[in-house]
Amino acid sequence: MLVEPKQMVAITKLQKELTQTVRSISASGKAVYILKNNNLEAVLLTYQEYEHLKEIEELYERIVIKKTIETRMENYNPQNNVSWKKR
């Protein structure tokens, strides 16, 4: 992933300029990548983008569950069922 240097901010600078940074993110819609000891540590993004990513995560989870069910159903044999009464 390529990150533009102008989208990176050191955590110490962010602490001093948090309000301005949040306003900038809200206005531009572009995420800010937070550096700690010159390493990417976190990402600050708009709430709308966060919600969008959460929706994608939920859809992906549903796809994984669907594929798991389909795989299990391929191998399903009703003859192997055990009655609850027999337990």
Side-chain angles (χ1 to χ4, degrees):
M1 172 179 77
L2 290 175
V3 179
E4 294 181 30
K6 64 182 177 183
Q7 287 181 267
M8 295 183 198
V9 63
I11 196 162
T12 51
K13 182 177 178 182
L14 179 64
Q15 289 171 332
K16 296 174 186 173
E17 301 174 0
L18 182 60
T19 302
Q20 296 94 326
T21 304
V22 171
R23 285 184 185 141
S24 173
I25 293 167
S26 295
S28 70
K30 292 186 178 183
V32 170
Y33 299 86
I34 302 168
L35 299 169
K36 181 178 179 184
N37 299 325
N38 291 324
N39 294 313
L40 287 174
E41 188 71 25
V43 179
L44 194 59
L45 48 98
T46 65
Y47 183 74
Q48 291 81 14
E49 184 67 19
Y50 171 78
E51 283 291 311
H52 180 71
L53 292 172
K54 292 301 284 181
E55 288 174 12
I56 291 171
E57 179 184 41
E58 187 175 313
L59 286 173
Y60 177 76
E61 185 177 329
R62 289 179 183 197
I63 289 169
V64 170
I65 291 169
K66 180 181 182 266
K67 287 186 178 192
T68 301
I69 291 170
E70 288 172 348
T71 301
R72 289 181 182 180
M73 292 306 292
E74 286 175 5
N75 301 319
Y76 175 68
N77 182 351
Q79 304 297 333
N80 294 335
N81 287 357
V82 176
S83 170
W84 284 102
K85 294 177 183 176
K86 291 183 180 179
R87 285 186 165 211

